[in-house]
Amino acid sequence: MSEIVAKSAYDVVIIGAGIAGMTAAALLSRSGLSVCVVEKEPHAGGYLAGFRRKNFRFDSAIHWLNQCGEKGIVTRVFQFIGEDRPKPKPLDRIYRNKAEHLDYVLTSNPEDLKAQLIKDFPHEKAGIEKFFGAAKKIARTWDLYAENFRAAETMSVLDKVSNGMKKLNFIRPLIRYIWYHGEEGVTKGLNLFFKDPELHRYWASEHDLLSCLFPIAWAYIGDYQLPPQGGSQVFIEWLTHVTEFYRNDIVYGATVQSILLEDNVCKGVVFERKGKVHTVKSKQVIAACDVEMLYERLLPTDLIPQSLKDNLKSAELYSSAVAISLALDCPTEDLGFTEELIMIQAEGISRAEHDSGDPYKTAISIIPPSLRDKSLAPEGKGTLTVYSSAYIDYKNYWGCEVDATGNYVRTDAYYKIKEEFANIILDRIEERLKVDLRSHIMFMDVASPITHWRYSYNRGGSIMGARPGRANMEAKIAHYQTPVKNLILGGHWADLGGGVPIAVKSAANAALIVLKTQKTEAFKAFAQYADGKIDHKKAHETGAFEAYDNSWVQRKTPAEEQKEKRNKKD
C-alpha cells in the first residue's frame, strides 16, 4: 500500500480499485507502464472486498460466477496476467426455485430439470423439449462470446468486419427471443413453447425471455463456477500483488476531487487524502468508477454534452439490494442447505413486484458461502448471505436526511428501518423453508441501498450498473471513450451488463485503448490474444510484456488463522 504517490507523473492513473480497476492495473503493469490506482476506501475490492467479523469472512457480492471456466473471458484475461491466478471450481447444484407450489433444482446436468418438468407437466412435453433445445443452441455458440470481447474502440476496420462475423454467429440463436421482455412480453415468449400458467411460474421473476433461457444454456456448457477458496476477494489480493510486483502504486483513502485538465484534455487527477491535496499527472486516466459522478462532480459542467448526461440519468439500471450476512452457530448444512442458490418468490404477483423492493413481495436469494467453502467460517460454524432487491427511496430514503451536497446522513430511523426490512425477509425464509433460522444466528450485518451508494456513488445504489436492453443500446449508455480526450471509462459503465465478467471485459478493453496509444507492440499482441489468434505464451514471447514470476501466495482466511493458532497450542 502506498501512503502517498511515489511519483508526480505516471503513464496511467486509474480511479477505483474494484475488480475492473485492479484488472486494468495488473494488465498495464505487466505491459511495462507506470500505474497509480486511486481508491477512496481504505482497501481494494469494491463490491468484491467482503468483510471480516469475529473470524468469519463474508463473501458478500457473489451469487455464482460465470466466464471463469477454461474458455471464459475472466480466465482468459487472468491467464494472460499470470499462471498463479485464483482458480474457481465448477458449481454442480446451481439454482433452486422454491416457490409455494414449485420446487425445482437446476444442476450442471440440465437434462435432469427437463425430465422433472416433463414428469410434472406431461401435456407440455413438446414445448419443454423445444425450450431446452433453444437453450442448447445458445450454449453451442457461447464460446464465441469469450473470443469476441474487444470493444469497437480497439478495432481497425478489418477487425470490425472479422469480429462482426463472430458476433453475428453468436447472436443468431438469440435474435428470435430478444424482443420479449416485460410482463406481457415474457408471457408471450414463454407461450412460444408452452402455455400452462403453472409452468410459467418457474420464471415468474424474470424480466425478459433470454433471462429464462440463459441459465439453462450456461448449465449445458458448465459455465457456473464457485468463487475461489477464500472468497471472491482473493481475486483482488492477487491483482494487488501483481500491480505492486511491478512497483506501481495503489493509494487508499484518497478521494478524487477533480480531473486535471489542460485545454480540456485530461492530464491526470487531483485527490485529497488525510486533509492534503495531491496532484498526479498522467498520459491517460481510466475511470473505473461511477460515470454520473465523473461527469457531474469531477469535470466542469459544460464539458460533457447535456444530452449524454440526460441519457445517463434515465438509463435503465440494475436495482440496488439489501444484503443480509448471517453468522451461524452451526454448519450451514445442518439447517438443510446445500450448495445451490435458493430463490424464494411470492405467489400471485406481477414480474415487476418481484423486483419492487417491497420486503413482503421482492424475490429473495439465499447463498450458503461457508458450505461451498469451509475456510470462510470457524470450525463448527456457518454463514448465509441473503439478497433481495431494494431501492434507495424506500421509506423516505431509509429514514436518512439528505444534506446540501446530496449525501445521505444516517439517523436512528435508518438503523430501525434496516432491521425491520431484514426481519421481514427472515420471516419469509423461515416460513417458506420451514427452518428455525433465527435461533442459530450469532450476529448479522445488513447492507442497504444507502450502504451501496456510499461505497460506489452509483445512482440509487445500483449494484452493477446499466442493464442490457434496447433502450440502453439506443441511448448509447455504454461507452469507453468519453468526450474528454485521454479520459477512458472502465468497469460496469463502459459496457452493459453486470458481474465479474463484464467488469473484467471492460478492464481489458480500457487497457487495450491505453496500449493502442502508449505501447503499440503490446496492443497488437494482446489484441491478437483477445481475438483467439494466439495463446498467452505466444503473446508473451513477443517481448512486449514484462516478465512475471508467479509469486503470489494466498493469505489464510481468519478461520484458517484461528485453526492454525489452536493447533499450535495443542
Side-chain angles (χ1 to χ4, degrees):
M1 181 185 86
S2 302
E3 283 294 315
I4 56 173
V5 288
K7 298 181 286 189
S8 60
Y10 295 80
D11 293 318
V12 186
V13 168
I14 298 172
I15 303 173
I19 184 69
M22 292 311 304
T23 299
L27 281 168
L28 294 172
S29 295
R30 179 118 205 219
S31 302
L33 299 183
S34 60
V35 178
C36 177
V37 183
V38 181
E39 169 57 48
K40 72 181 181 68
E41 295 301 318
H43 48 71
Y47 280 124
L48 298 195
F51 62 96
R52 169 183 179 169
R53 296 274 163 83
K54 298 181 181 180
N55 295 316
F56 290 83
R57 174 177 281 185
F58 290 97
D59 188 10
S60 56
I62 298 295
H63 290 183
W64 53 59
L65 290 167
N66 301 112
Q67 291 294 306
C68 292
E70 183 181 348
K71 299 179 180 179
I73 289 174
V74 177
T75 299
R76 296 187 67 236
V77 173
F78 285 179
Q79 185 178 53
F80 191 89
I81 295 169
E83 297 291 350
D84 58 344
R85 68 193 185 278
K87 297 174 177 66
K89 295 180 180 179
L91 176 60
D92 180 37
R93 290 178 64 88
I94 299 162
Y95 174 89
R96 179 184 179 192
N97 188 330
K98 186 72 171 72
E100 187 175 343
H101 302 292
L102 297 174
D103 191 356
Y104 295 103
V105 177
L106 174 65
T107 70
S108 55
N109 181 13
E111 291 292 307
D112 292 341
L113 174 60
K114 183 177 79 172
Q116 186 62 47
L117 291 173
I118 290 173
K119 179 183 176 182
D120 293 345
F121 299 92
H123 55 290
E124 294 284 16
K125 178 180 179 180
I128 293 169
E129 294 273 12
K130 183 180 176 184
F131 184 85
F132 279 73
K136 194 176 288 188
K137 285 180 181 177
I138 293 171
R140 290 193 191 106
T141 63
W142 198 248
D143 286 347
L144 295 173
Y145 180 68
E147 292 184 4
N148 195 46
F149 69 81
R150 282 176 63 194
E153 292 92 333
T154 71
M155 297 183 192
S156 66
V157 174
L158 190 59
D159 289 335
K160 289 177 182 177
V161 172
S162 174
N163 282 46
M165 293 301 294
K166 283 185 182 179
K167 185 172 288 187
L168 183 61
N169 289 331
F170 166 65
I171 67 172
R172 188 174 285 120
L174 313 178
I175 291 173
R176 183 181 180 189
Y177 311 118
I178 201 167
W179 311 111
Y180 296 96
H181 55 86
E183 191 75 46
E184 293 184 5
V186 177
T187 299
K188 288 179 180 178
L190 291 174
N191 280 338
L192 296 174
F193 303 96
F194 31 70
K195 294 183 170 58
D196 190 324
E198 289 298 312
L199 181 53
H200 281 211
R201 282 188 183 184
Y202 181 85
W203 296 276
S205 62
E206 299 299 343
H207 293 278
D208 55 71
L209 182 58
L210 286 177
S211 295
C212 305
L213 287 161
F214 272 135
I216 295 169
W218 293 336
Y220 271 120
I221 57 171
D223 194 21
Y224 284 95
Q225 297 84 36
L226 295 166
Q229 183 170 346
S232 58
Q233 53 202 276
V234 302
F235 286 134
I236 303 298
E237 292 176 10
W238 171 65
L239 293 167
T240 298
H241 169 82
V242 174
T243 301
E244 293 179 339
F245 173 85
Y246 295 100
R247 305 195 177 197
N248 281 321
D249 294 313
I250 308 168
V251 186
Y252 301 114
T255 302
V256 176
Q257 302 291 304
S258 64
I259 302 298
L260 184 66
L261 299 170
E262 293 179 13
D263 297 323
N264 290 337
V265 175
C266 176
K267 294 292 184 179
V269 302
V270 178
F271 68 85
E272 179 271 329
R273 186 178 187 277
K274 292 185 176 180
K276 293 184 179 180
V277 177
H278 302 266
T279 298
V280 181
K281 292 189 175 182
S282 62
K283 297 173 185 174
Q284 288 169 296
V285 169
I286 295 175
C289 60
D290 177 64
V291 66
E292 288 187 71
M293 182 199 69
L294 174 71
Y295 289 166
E296 299 283 356
R297 297 191 184 191
L298 305 185
L299 290 164
T301 56
D302 59 348
L303 202 54
I304 305 299
Q306 189 60 45
S307 59
L308 176 55
K309 290 191 281 190
D310 289 343
N311 283 345
L312 288 168
K313 281 186 172 64
S314 60
E316 295 178 359
L317 307 185
Y318 287 99
S319 70
S320 189
V322 164
I324 308 170
S325 299
L326 303 174
L328 306 175
D329 65 3
C330 64
T332 312
E333 54 268 37
D334 285 4
L335 301 180
F337 291 92
T338 47
E339 71 173 358
E340 73 273 7
L341 177 151
I342 299 175
M343 173 71 78
I344 291 177
Q345 300 175 359
E347 294 287 327
I349 64 174
S350 68
R351 295 183 189 283
E353 287 176 300
H354 284 291
D355 194 32
S356 65
D358 179 341
Y360 291 101
K361 296 179 179 179
T362 187
I364 302 169
S365 299
I366 310 165
I367 304 102
S370 65
L371 188 153
R372 298 170 168 185
D373 179 358
K374 291 295 184 182
S375 74
L376 298 179
E379 194 169 353
K381 305 294 191 294
T383 62
L384 281 177
T385 305
V386 179
Y387 291 90
S388 61
S389 293
Y391 293 88
I392 204 162
D393 58 357
Y394 177 74
K395 289 201 173 181
N396 197 23
Y397 297 95
W398 296 80
C400 290
E401 297 175 357
V402 183
D403 66 18
T405 59
N407 293 316
Y408 299 98
V409 181
R410 290 165 294 172
T411 64
D412 290 342
Y414 168 74
Y415 297 101
K416 183 179 179 181
I417 291 169
K418 269 207 314 181
E419 184 178 358
E420 289 173 349
F421 193 107
N423 279 322
I424 294 168
I425 296 298
L426 294 178
D427 285 342
R428 290 178 60 195
I429 293 172
E430 290 189 326
E431 180 184 1
R432 181 61 58 83
L433 300 184
K434 308 302 180 191
V435 60
D436 178 15
L437 185 58
R438 277 191 175 82
S439 67
H440 294 282
I441 296 174
M442 298 173 64
F443 61 88
M444 73 177 180
D445 180 273
V446 183
S448 73
I450 299 293
T451 312
H452 298 308
W453 179 86
R454 286 175 54 236
Y455 285 111
S456 69
Y457 290 138
N458 289 352
R459 174 160 54 86
S462 173
I463 57 175
M464 289 190 289
R467 288 180 177 274
R470 181 177 178 180
N472 282 343
M473 290 178 185
E474 290 178 348
K476 298 182 179 178
I477 297 302
H479 57 287
Y480 287 89
Q481 298 282 12
T482 74
V484 180
K485 186 177 180 181
N486 295 334
L487 177 60
I488 303 157
L489 287 189
H492 285 126
W493 296 105
D495 221 317
L496 298 178
V500 171
I502 294 297
V504 170
K505 172 187 174 184
S506 299
N509 278 302
L512 277 165
I513 291 169
V514 168
L515 293 175
K516 190 174 183 180
T517 300
Q518 297 196 38
K519 202 164 183 184
T520 306
E521 291 306 310
F523 166 77
K524 289 179 180 177
F526 188 40
Q528 285 186 304
Y529 173 73
D531 290 343
K533 295 177 180 177
I534 59 174
D535 63 22
H536 65 287
K537 293 179 180 178
K538 284 280 180 66
H540 292 150
E541 287 170 2
T542 63
F545 302 92
E546 302 293 318
Y548 174 56
D549 65 356
N550 297 300
S551 56
W552 176 63
V553 177
Q554 183 173 337
R555 297 197 295 267
K556 291 181 171 61
T557 67
E560 288 173 324
E561 291 174 350
Q562 181 193 43
K563 186 176 181 179
E564 188 175 77
K565 288 178 183 178
R566 190 169 57 247
N567 289 340
K568 285 181 179 179
K569 286 182 180 179
D570 295 342

